[in-house]
């Protein structure tokens, strides 16, 4: 029983020793093209582990925003049908 407890403690300690990379914002990825491209490449190389990470989501979102901005789309106010289309 004591060996099992020690093994579980070691496993829990090692699980907490993951990579501590800072989470960058979408705006940061929009202005840092090289880092955005590198992060997207990492995410595509290991989608099972990284695809849901905050940095992957922010890097892909930044790339999507830049693509939409290049196309010249504008934001429109939402139409609320309950208020008579105002």
């Amino acid at each position: 029983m004591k060996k099992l407890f020690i093994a579980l403690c070691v496993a829990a300690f090692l699980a907490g020793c993951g990579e501590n990379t800072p989470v960058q914002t979408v705006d940061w990825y929009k202005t840092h093209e090289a880092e955005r491209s590198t992060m997207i490449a990492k995410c595509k190389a290991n989608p099972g582990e990284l695809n849901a990470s905050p940095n992957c989501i922010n890097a892909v979102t930044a790339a999507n925003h830049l693509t939409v901005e290049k196309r010249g789309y504008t934001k429109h106010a939402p139409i609320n049908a309950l208020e008579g289309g105002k």
Side-chain angles (χ1 to χ4, degrees):
M1 185 70 177
K2 186 176 180 180
K3 288 182 183 180
L4 177 63
F5 177 75
I6 292 173
L8 289 175
C9 288
V10 169
F13 176 75
L14 291 176
C17 293
E19 186 179 330
N20 291 330
T21 56
V23 175
Q24 303 297 344
T25 64
V26 172
D27 289 332
W28 187 87
Y29 277 117
K30 285 170 100 174
T31 58
H32 295 84
E33 183 177 351
E35 290 85 354
R36 180 179 67 246
S37 299
T38 302
M39 182 56 67
I40 291 173
K42 279 185 188 179
C43 299
K44 287 182 179 180
N46 191 358
E49 188 175 321
L50 298 176
N51 214 25
S53 71
N55 277 324
C56 284
I57 292 169
N58 289 347
V60 171
T61 301
N64 290 341
H65 285 193
L66 290 171
T67 300
V68 168
E69 288 171 9
K70 284 181 186 175
R71 292 181 181 163
Y73 290 119
T74 58
K75 292 184 180 182
H76 298 284
I79 298 173
N80 190 344
L82 298 177
E83 293 180 8
K86 292 181 183 178

